[in-house]
Amino acid sequence: MAEETMPASPPDKPVYRFAPSPNGLLHLGHALSALLNHDMAEAVGGRFLLRIEDIDLTRCTPEFEAAIYRDLAWLGLDWEKPVRRQSEHFDAYHEALARLSEMGVVYPAFLTRGEVKAKVAACEADGKSWPRDPDGSPLYPDDDRHRSETERRKLTADGVRHAFRLDMQKALGLIAAPLSWTETGDRGEIPADPSAWGDVVLSRSDAPSSYHLSVTVDDAAQGITHVVRGLDLFEATAVHRLLQELLELPQPVYHHHRLVVGADGRKLSKSEGSTGLAALRDRGLSGSDIRRLVGL
Ligand code: GLU
């Protein structure tokens, strides 16, 4: 569905969104996020949007998408239509990637996951530590960033599959002032350190956009003024702020909410049936029981 068909928002009307990925069933953590977005929008007379984040065409399915609509309706939520589905907007992400490329801050990355893993393992076997991002994943090695244009062209011509990554240091060199974001509540202004994530991926050979790129493009395309999501995405906001500055997009206000944890104290995963909304519904619970269960 084209952006032009989305209802225009009066400039002063706050816009909230819940943005699940249809790669599994929703659980109590998603319920908290969706309910908070909905309630916060309602409290200020704002809009509540739903966005389906289905760029990963191998893991997202129409069945999981249908389950999202069913679960949210059962929770008593109502959202604006049409729903933005990321798989219908690959052109927009491609355009953003092309713009970043023109700025000289993108390079083709040829290393496979296995090659990266082997490099990290070899380094660690040597007793040295490999730098890791805030989620604990190893930063992408330097190799591809330093390749010559001739070498890149040859690898591409040879049909070597590649992703595109952001040259983090070059990108930061284009930003004049230190980056930060506004977190609602008493946390105020948070300094953003995107370099902690290294050369983040912007598109892969099997997925035409990355989470970071599509979420940044979409929040702007939908005029989102308030991003309300789990604390597990707090640190990722630094990357989104950098992309917003590079692409000259407006910056929303952020609210990262507490996570719902399982009996073992760990974050819920989509494979945990017992906290799944469909399973709880089958056990006879109601939407208002779920509100109580997530502490609302
Ligand atoms: N699609 C992401 C997820 O399901 C959420 C993205 C966001 O809220 O920024 O975890």
Side-chain angles (χ1 to χ4, degrees), residues 17 19-21 30 51 53 211 215 227-229 233 240 270:
R17 90 313 193 259
S21 297
H30 298 105
R51 181 165 78 226
E53 302 216 322
Y211 160 65
V215 86
V227 171
V228 176
R229 60 186 176 195
L233 291 169
H240 307 165
K270 278 188 172 148

Side-chain angles (χ1 to χ4, degrees), residues 81-97:
K81 320 303 185 285
V83 166
R84 185 176 174 98
R85 298 168 75 235
Q86 292 191 322
S87 57
E88 292 170 356
H89 295 274
F90 285 129
D91 283 2
Y93 316 132
H94 189 78
E95 210 174 285
L97 180 65

Side-chain angles (χ1 to χ4, degrees), residues 41-74:
E42 194 173 67
V44 294
R47 298 170 56 198
F48 172 59
L49 310 186
L50 173 62
R51 181 165 78 226
I52 299 294
E53 302 216 322
D54 58 350
I55 47 171
D56 185 345
L57 301 170
T58 56
R59 293 174 61 223
C60 295
T61 69
E63 290 76 23
F64 285 135
E65 185 179 331
I68 290 173
Y69 301 135
R70 208 160 44 235
D71 289 347
L72 295 182
W74 171 69

